[in-house]
Amino acid sequence: QVQLVESGGGLVQPGGSLRLSCAASGFTFASYYMTWFRQAPGKERDFVAGISASTGLTWYADSVKGRFTISKDNVKNTVYLQLNSLKVDDTAVYSCAARPVRMSMQPYEYNYWGQGTQVTVSS
């Protein structure tokens, strides 16, 4: 079965960094578009970053551009999100998602989801 398992979340101070990982299994990882979303309590689930299946092209939300970096390793079947210069407003559950054809910034268009990993930014 398809599984996406996130890890790497934790508690950090403002200005700190974290590296999130999403380990994928049960599908042809290299042919899927991979994306990170986040959801804070009482807020909508928002697109954060995405990476294309074949070209490695990346997309970022304006709020994280220049601070976060998405990457993937097709050998390890893992997607990463490097979070730098973290702000209190970055506090959320971060989830990875996959779809088989093309990139999308809309969460309802994704086929597969992980359970998420908590990122808390606080002094």
Side-chain angles (χ1 to χ4, degrees):
Q1 66 274 15
V2 172
Q3 287 189 338
L4 298 173
V5 182
E6 301 95 337
S7 61
L11 174 64
V12 296
Q13 295 182 324
S17 298
L18 286 172
R19 193 191 195 202
L20 309 182
S21 298
C22 173
S25 61
F27 62 96
T28 306
F29 178 81
S31 65
Y32 275 65
Y33 285 64
M34 303 298 299
T35 310
W36 287 93
F37 292 86
R38 68 184 181 185
Q39 186 170 28
K43 303 291 186 179
E44 299 285 321
R45 188 189 301 273
D46 292 327
F47 168 84
V48 176
I51 186 165
S52 66
S54 59
T55 66
L57 293 176
T58 57
W59 291 259
Y60 296 96
D62 289 341
S63 59
V64 307
K65 196 172 298 181
R67 299 188 298 121
F68 294 3
T69 303
I70 188 171
S71 61
K72 66 174 181 176
D73 187 329
N74 287 340
V75 175
K76 297 180 179 179
N77 287 1
T78 301
V79 176
Y80 305 97
L81 186 67
Q82 179 68 42
L83 294 72
N84 295 329
S85 302
L86 282 163
K87 305 174 180 179
V88 172
D89 287 348
D90 294 321
T91 296
V93 174
Y94 286 71
S95 302
C96 65
R99 66 193 313 270
V101 179
R102 63 178 62 88
M103 194 66 188
S104 174
M105 297 181 183
Q106 305 301 321
Y108 55 82
E109 293 184 342
Y110 278 77
N111 301 67
Y112 308 119
W113 290 86
Q115 294 299 306
T117 185
Q118 177 71 48
V119 172
T120 302
V121 185
S122 177
S123 60

Short mmCIF file of all heavy atoms in Angstrom, two decimals, residues 71-117:
data_model
loop_
_atom_site.label_atom_id
_atom_site.label_comp_id
_atom_site.label_asym_id
_atom_site.label_seq_id
_atom_site.Cartn_x
_atom_site.Cartn_y
_atom_site.Cartn_z
N SER A 71 13.65 19.46 -1.90
CA SER A 71 14.51 18.62 -2.71
C SER A 71 14.04 17.18 -2.59
O SER A 71 13.20 16.86 -1.75
CB SER A 71 15.98 18.74 -2.29
OG SER A 71 16.16 18.33 -0.95
N LYS A 72 14.56 16.31 -3.45
CA LYS A 72 14.19 14.90 -3.36
C LYS A 72 15.33 14.01 -3.78
O LYS A 72 16.24 14.42 -4.50
CB LYS A 72 12.95 14.60 -4.20
CG LYS A 72 13.13 14.76 -5.70
CD LYS A 72 11.87 14.29 -6.44
CE LYS A 72 12.04 14.41 -7.95
NZ LYS A 72 10.86 13.85 -8.66
N ASP A 73 15.28 12.77 -3.33
CA ASP A 73 16.26 11.75 -3.66
C ASP A 73 15.50 10.56 -4.20
O ASP A 73 14.82 9.86 -3.45
CB ASP A 73 17.07 11.37 -2.42
CG ASP A 73 18.23 10.44 -2.73
OD1 ASP A 73 18.13 9.64 -3.68
OD2 ASP A 73 19.24 10.50 -2.01
N ASN A 74 15.60 10.31 -5.51
CA ASN A 74 14.84 9.24 -6.14
C ASN A 74 15.37 7.85 -5.78
O ASN A 74 14.65 6.86 -5.94
CB ASN A 74 14.85 9.41 -7.66
CG ASN A 74 13.97 10.55 -8.13
OD1 ASN A 74 13.08 11.00 -7.41
ND2 ASN A 74 14.22 11.03 -9.34
N VAL A 75 16.61 7.77 -5.33
CA VAL A 75 17.16 6.50 -4.90
C VAL A 75 16.60 6.12 -3.53
O VAL A 75 16.23 4.97 -3.29
CB VAL A 75 18.70 6.54 -4.86
CG1 VAL A 75 19.26 5.24 -4.29
CG2 VAL A 75 19.26 6.79 -6.25
N LYS A 76 16.53 7.09 -2.63
CA LYS A 76 16.01 6.86 -1.29
C LYS A 76 14.50 7.00 -1.20
O LYS A 76 13.92 6.75 -0.14
CB LYS A 76 16.66 7.82 -0.30
CG LYS A 76 18.16 7.63 -0.16
CD LYS A 76 18.73 8.61 0.85
CE LYS A 76 20.22 8.42 1.03
NZ LYS A 76 20.80 9.39 2.00
N ASN A 77 13.85 7.42 -2.30
CA ASN A 77 12.40 7.66 -2.31
C ASN A 77 11.99 8.60 -1.18
O ASN A 77 11.04 8.33 -0.44
CB ASN A 77 11.64 6.34 -2.21
CG ASN A 77 11.68 5.53 -3.49
OD1 ASN A 77 12.29 5.91 -4.48
ND2 ASN A 77 11.01 4.38 -3.48
N THR A 78 12.70 9.69 -1.07
CA THR A 78 12.49 10.63 0.02
C THR A 78 12.47 12.06 -0.49
O THR A 78 13.28 12.44 -1.34
CB THR A 78 13.59 10.49 1.09
OG1 THR A 78 13.59 9.14 1.59
CG2 THR A 78 13.35 11.44 2.25
N VAL A 79 11.53 12.84 0.03
CA VAL A 79 11.43 14.27 -0.23
C VAL A 79 11.83 15.01 1.03
O VAL A 79 11.49 14.60 2.14
CB VAL A 79 10.01 14.67 -0.65
CG1 VAL A 79 9.91 16.17 -0.84
CG2 VAL A 79 9.61 13.96 -1.93
N TYR A 80 12.56 16.11 0.86
CA TYR A 80 13.03 16.89 1.99
C TYR A 80 12.50 18.32 1.91
O TYR A 80 12.22 18.84 0.84
CB TYR A 80 14.56 16.95 2.01
CG TYR A 80 15.23 15.59 2.00
CD1 TYR A 80 15.68 15.03 0.81
CD2 TYR A 80 15.40 14.87 3.18
CE1 TYR A 80 16.29 13.79 0.79
CE2 TYR A 80 16.00 13.63 3.17
CZ TYR A 80 16.44 13.09 1.97
OH TYR A 80 17.05 11.86 1.96
N LEU A 81 12.39 18.93 3.07
CA LEU A 81 12.09 20.36 3.15
C LEU A 81 13.02 20.97 4.18
O LEU A 81 12.91 20.68 5.37
CB LEU A 81 10.63 20.61 3.52
CG LEU A 81 10.19 22.07 3.49
CD1 LEU A 81 10.21 22.61 2.05
CD2 LEU A 81 8.81 22.25 4.10
N GLN A 82 13.94 21.80 3.71
CA GLN A 82 14.85 22.51 4.59
C GLN A 82 14.20 23.82 5.00
O GLN A 82 13.86 24.64 4.15
CB GLN A 82 16.18 22.78 3.89
CG GLN A 82 17.20 23.55 4.73
CD GLN A 82 17.72 22.74 5.89
OE1 GLN A 82 18.00 21.55 5.74
NE2 GLN A 82 17.84 23.37 7.05
N LEU A 83 14.01 24.02 6.30
CA LEU A 83 13.36 25.20 6.84
C LEU A 83 14.42 26.05 7.54
O LEU A 83 14.97 25.65 8.56
CB LEU A 83 12.25 24.85 7.83
CG LEU A 83 10.99 24.14 7.33
CD1 LEU A 83 11.27 22.69 6.97
CD2 LEU A 83 9.92 24.20 8.41
N ASN A 84 14.70 27.22 7.00
CA ASN A 84 15.67 28.14 7.58
C ASN A 84 14.98 29.44 7.98
O ASN A 84 13.89 29.75 7.52
CB ASN A 84 16.79 28.45 6.59
CG ASN A 84 17.63 27.25 6.25
OD1 ASN A 84 17.82 26.36 7.07
ND2 ASN A 84 18.17 27.23 5.03
N SER A 85 15.64 30.19 8.84
CA SER A 85 15.13 31.49 9.30
C SER A 85 13.68 31.37 9.76
O SER A 85 12.82 32.18 9.38
CB SER A 85 15.26 32.53 8.19
OG SER A 85 16.61 32.67 7.78
N LEU A 86 13.42 30.40 10.59
CA LEU A 86 12.05 30.10 11.00
C LEU A 86 11.43 31.23 11.81
O LEU A 86 12.10 31.88 12.62
CB LEU A 86 12.00 28.81 11.79
CG LEU A 86 12.09 27.54 10.93
CD1 LEU A 86 12.47 26.34 11.77
CD2 LEU A 86 10.76 27.30 10.22
N LYS A 87 10.14 31.44 11.57
CA LYS A 87 9.35 32.45 12.26
C LYS A 87 8.27 31.77 13.08
O LYS A 87 7.90 30.62 12.83
CB LYS A 87 8.71 33.41 11.25
CG LYS A 87 9.68 34.07 10.29
CD LYS A 87 8.93 34.88 9.25
CE LYS A 87 9.88 35.55 8.28
NZ LYS A 87 9.14 36.32 7.24
N VAL A 88 7.74 32.49 14.06
CA VAL A 88 6.66 31.96 14.88
C VAL A 88 5.48 31.55 14.00
O VAL A 88 4.82 30.53 14.26
CB VAL A 88 6.22 32.99 15.94
CG1 VAL A 88 4.96 32.51 16.66
CG2 VAL A 88 7.34 33.24 16.93
N ASP A 89 5.21 32.31 12.94
CA ASP A 89 4.09 32.02 12.05
C ASP A 89 4.29 30.76 11.22
O ASP A 89 3.37 30.32 10.54
CB ASP A 89 3.83 33.21 11.12
CG ASP A 89 3.20 34.39 11.83
OD1 ASP A 89 2.75 34.23 12.97
OD2 ASP A 89 3.15 35.48 11.22
N ASP A 90 5.49 30.19 11.24
CA ASP A 90 5.73 28.93 10.55
C ASP A 90 5.25 27.72 11.35
O ASP A 90 5.27 26.60 10.85
CB ASP A 90 7.23 28.75 10.25
CG ASP A 90 7.75 29.77 9.25
OD1 ASP A 90 7.02 30.08 8.28
OD2 ASP A 90 8.89 30.25 9.44
N THR A 91 4.84 27.94 12.59
CA THR A 91 4.35 26.86 13.44
C THR A 91 3.13 26.20 12.81
O THR A 91 2.14 26.86 12.51
CB THR A 91 4.00 27.38 14.83
OG1 THR A 91 5.18 27.87 15.48
CG2 THR A 91 3.39 26.27 15.68
N ALA A 92 3.21 24.89 12.58
CA ALA A 92 2.13 24.16 11.92
C ALA A 92 2.49 22.68 11.86
O ALA A 92 3.62 22.29 12.14
CB ALA A 92 1.90 24.69 10.50
N VAL A 93 1.51 21.87 11.48
CA VAL A 93 1.77 20.49 11.10
C VAL A 93 2.12 20.47 9.63
O VAL A 93 1.34 20.94 8.79
CB VAL A 93 0.56 19.58 11.38
CG1 VAL A 93 0.82 18.18 10.84
CG2 VAL A 93 0.26 19.52 12.87
N TYR A 94 3.27 19.94 9.30
CA TYR A 94 3.74 19.88 7.92
C TYR A 94 3.52 18.47 7.37
O TYR A 94 3.95 17.49 7.97
CB TYR A 94 5.22 20.24 7.84
CG TYR A 94 5.48 21.72 8.01
CD1 TYR A 94 5.33 22.33 9.25
CD2 TYR A 94 5.88 22.50 6.93
CE1 TYR A 94 5.55 23.68 9.41
CE2 TYR A 94 6.10 23.86 7.08
CZ TYR A 94 5.94 24.45 8.32
OH TYR A 94 6.17 25.80 8.47
N SER A 95 2.84 18.39 6.22
CA SER A 95 2.52 17.11 5.60
C SER A 95 3.03 17.07 4.17
O SER A 95 3.00 18.08 3.47
CB SER A 95 1.00 16.88 5.59
OG SER A 95 0.46 16.91 6.89
N CYS A 96 3.49 15.91 3.74
CA CYS A 96 3.84 15.74 2.34
C CYS A 96 2.70 15.05 1.61
O CYS A 96 1.91 14.32 2.20
CB CYS A 96 5.15 14.97 2.17
SG CYS A 96 5.13 13.26 2.72
N ALA A 97 2.61 15.32 0.30
CA ALA A 97 1.54 14.78 -0.51
C ALA A 97 2.07 14.47 -1.91
O ALA A 97 3.04 15.08 -2.36
CB ALA A 97 0.37 15.76 -0.59
N ALA A 98 1.41 13.52 -2.59
CA ALA A 98 1.85 13.07 -3.90
C ALA A 98 0.68 12.94 -4.86
O ALA A 98 -0.42 12.57 -4.46
CB ALA A 98 2.58 11.73 -3.80
N ARG A 99 0.92 13.25 -6.13
CA ARG A 99 -0.04 13.02 -7.18
C ARG A 99 0.70 12.55 -8.42
O ARG A 99 1.86 12.93 -8.62
CB ARG A 99 -0.90 14.25 -7.44
CG ARG A 99 -0.18 15.45 -7.99
CD ARG A 99 -1.05 16.71 -7.90
NE ARG A 99 -2.42 16.52 -8.36
CZ ARG A 99 -2.83 16.69 -9.62
NH1 ARG A 99 -1.97 17.08 -10.56
NH2 ARG A 99 -4.10 16.49 -9.92
N PRO A 100 0.08 11.74 -9.29
CA PRO A 100 0.82 11.02 -10.32
C PRO A 100 1.11 11.77 -11.61
O PRO A 100 1.97 11.33 -12.38
CB PRO A 100 -0.08 9.82 -10.61
CG PRO A 100 -1.46 10.32 -10.33
CD PRO A 100 -1.31 11.26 -9.16
N VAL A 101 0.43 12.87 -11.91
CA VAL A 101 0.52 13.44 -13.24
C VAL A 101 1.24 14.78 -13.27
O VAL A 101 2.25 14.94 -13.95
CB VAL A 101 -0.88 13.60 -13.88
CG1 VAL A 101 -0.76 14.22 -15.27
CG2 VAL A 101 -1.57 12.25 -13.95
N ARG A 102 0.70 15.76 -12.56
CA ARG A 102 1.25 17.10 -12.65
C ARG A 102 1.21 17.81 -11.31
O ARG A 102 0.49 17.39 -10.39
CB ARG A 102 0.51 17.93 -13.70
CG ARG A 102 -0.96 18.15 -13.41
CD ARG A 102 -1.61 19.04 -14.47
NE ARG A 102 -1.55 18.43 -15.79
CZ ARG A 102 -2.47 17.61 -16.28
NH1 ARG A 102 -3.53 17.28 -15.55
NH2 ARG A 102 -2.33 17.12 -17.50
N MET A 103 1.95 18.89 -11.22
CA MET A 103 2.03 19.67 -9.99
C MET A 103 0.75 20.44 -9.75
O MET A 103 0.09 20.89 -10.69
CB MET A 103 3.22 20.64 -10.07
CG MET A 103 3.61 21.25 -8.74
SD MET A 103 4.25 19.98 -7.62
CE MET A 103 4.38 20.94 -6.11
N SER A 104 0.38 20.59 -8.49
CA SER A 104 -0.78 21.37 -8.10
C SER A 104 -0.52 22.01 -6.76
O SER A 104 0.18 21.44 -5.91
CB SER A 104 -2.04 20.51 -8.05
OG SER A 104 -3.13 21.25 -7.54
N MET A 105 -1.09 23.19 -6.54
CA MET A 105 -1.02 23.85 -5.26
C MET A 105 -2.29 23.68 -4.44
O MET A 105 -2.41 24.25 -3.36
CB MET A 105 -0.73 25.35 -5.45
CG MET A 105 0.60 25.63 -6.11
SD MET A 105 0.91 27.42 -6.29
CE MET A 105 2.47 27.40 -7.16
N GLN A 106 -3.22 22.88 -4.95
CA GLN A 106 -4.50 22.66 -4.30
C GLN A 106 -4.50 21.33 -3.56
O GLN A 106 -4.35 20.28 -4.18
CB GLN A 106 -5.63 22.69 -5.32
CG GLN A 106 -5.68 23.95 -6.15
CD GLN A 106 -5.84 25.20 -5.30
OE1 GLN A 106 -6.59 25.18 -4.32
NE2 GLN A 106 -5.16 26.26 -5.66
N PRO A 107 -4.67 21.34 -2.24
CA PRO A 107 -4.59 20.09 -1.47
C PRO A 107 -5.61 19.04 -1.87
O PRO A 107 -5.32 17.84 -1.76
CB PRO A 107 -4.79 20.56 -0.02
CG PRO A 107 -5.44 21.90 -0.12
CD PRO A 107 -4.91 22.51 -1.38
N TYR A 108 -6.79 19.46 -2.34
CA TYR A 108 -7.82 18.50 -2.70
C TYR A 108 -7.52 17.74 -3.98
O TYR A 108 -8.23 16.79 -4.32
CB TYR A 108 -9.19 19.19 -2.82
CG TYR A 108 -9.23 20.36 -3.77
CD1 TYR A 108 -9.39 20.17 -5.14
CD2 TYR A 108 -9.12 21.66 -3.30
CE1 TYR A 108 -9.42 21.24 -6.01
CE2 TYR A 108 -9.15 22.74 -4.16
CZ TYR A 108 -9.31 22.53 -5.52
OH TYR A 108 -9.34 23.60 -6.37
N GLU A 109 -6.49 18.13 -4.70
CA GLU A 109 -6.12 17.45 -5.93
C GLU A 109 -5.05 16.38 -5.73
O GLU A 109 -4.62 15.76 -6.69
CB GLU A 109 -5.64 18.46 -6.97
CG GLU A 109 -6.73 19.40 -7.47
CD GLU A 109 -6.27 20.32 -8.57
OE1 GLU A 109 -5.05 20.50 -8.75
OE2 GLU A 109 -7.15 20.87 -9.27
N TYR A 110 -4.65 16.14 -4.49
CA TYR A 110 -3.58 15.17 -4.22
C TYR A 110 -4.13 13.82 -3.83
O TYR A 110 -5.11 13.71 -3.08
CB TYR A 110 -2.63 15.71 -3.15
CG TYR A 110 -1.64 16.66 -3.75
CD1 TYR A 110 -1.99 17.95 -4.08
CD2 TYR A 110 -0.34 16.24 -4.03
CE1 TYR A 110 -1.09 18.81 -4.68
CE2 TYR A 110 0.57 17.10 -4.62
CZ TYR A 110 0.18 18.38 -4.94
OH TYR A 110 1.08 19.24 -5.54
N ASN A 111 -3.48 12.78 -4.34
CA ASN A 111 -3.92 11.40 -4.13
C ASN A 111 -3.53 10.85 -2.77
O ASN A 111 -4.33 10.17 -2.12
CB ASN A 111 -3.34 10.49 -5.22
CG ASN A 111 -3.71 10.90 -6.62
OD1 ASN A 111 -3.31 11.96 -7.11
ND2 ASN A 111 -4.49 10.05 -7.29
N TYR A 112 -2.30 11.11 -2.36
CA TYR A 112 -1.74 10.47 -1.18
C TYR A 112 -1.20 11.50 -0.21
O TYR A 112 -0.61 12.51 -0.60
CB TYR A 112 -0.63 9.49 -1.58
CG TYR A 112 -1.05 8.50 -2.64
CD1 TYR A 112 -0.40 8.45 -3.86
CD2 TYR A 112 -2.10 7.62 -2.42
CE1 TYR A 112 -0.78 7.55 -4.85
CE2 TYR A 112 -2.50 6.72 -3.39
CZ TYR A 112 -1.83 6.69 -4.61
OH TYR A 112 -2.22 5.79 -5.58
N TRP A 113 -1.37 11.20 1.09
CA TRP A 113 -0.96 12.10 2.16
C TRP A 113 -0.28 11.35 3.28
O TRP A 113 -0.64 10.21 3.59
CB TRP A 113 -2.17 12.83 2.75
CG TRP A 113 -2.77 13.84 1.84
CD1 TRP A 113 -3.70 13.63 0.88
CD2 TRP A 113 -2.48 15.24 1.83
NE1 TRP A 113 -4.02 14.82 0.26
CE2 TRP A 113 -3.29 15.82 0.82
CE3 TRP A 113 -1.63 16.06 2.57
CZ2 TRP A 113 -3.26 17.19 0.54
CZ3 TRP A 113 -1.60 17.41 2.29
CH2 TRP A 113 -2.41 17.96 1.29
N GLY A 114 0.71 11.99 3.90
CA GLY A 114 1.27 11.49 5.13
C GLY A 114 0.50 12.02 6.32
O GLY A 114 -0.43 12.82 6.18
N GLN A 115 0.87 11.57 7.52
CA GLN A 115 0.18 11.99 8.74
C GLN A 115 0.67 13.33 9.28
O GLN A 115 0.00 13.94 10.09
CB GLN A 115 0.34 10.91 9.82
CG GLN A 115 -0.37 9.61 9.48
CD GLN A 115 -1.86 9.81 9.32
OE1 GLN A 115 -2.53 10.35 10.21
NE2 GLN A 115 -2.40 9.37 8.18
N GLY A 116 1.83 13.77 8.82
CA GLY A 116 2.34 15.07 9.21
C GLY A 116 3.34 15.02 10.35
O GLY A 116 3.38 14.06 11.12
N THR A 117 4.14 16.07 10.45
CA THR A 117 5.09 16.23 11.53
C THR A 117 4.98 17.66 12.07
O THR A 117 4.87 18.62 11.30
CB THR A 117 6.53 15.91 11.06
OG1 THR A 117 7.43 15.97 12.17
CG2 THR A 117 7.00 16.87 9.97
#
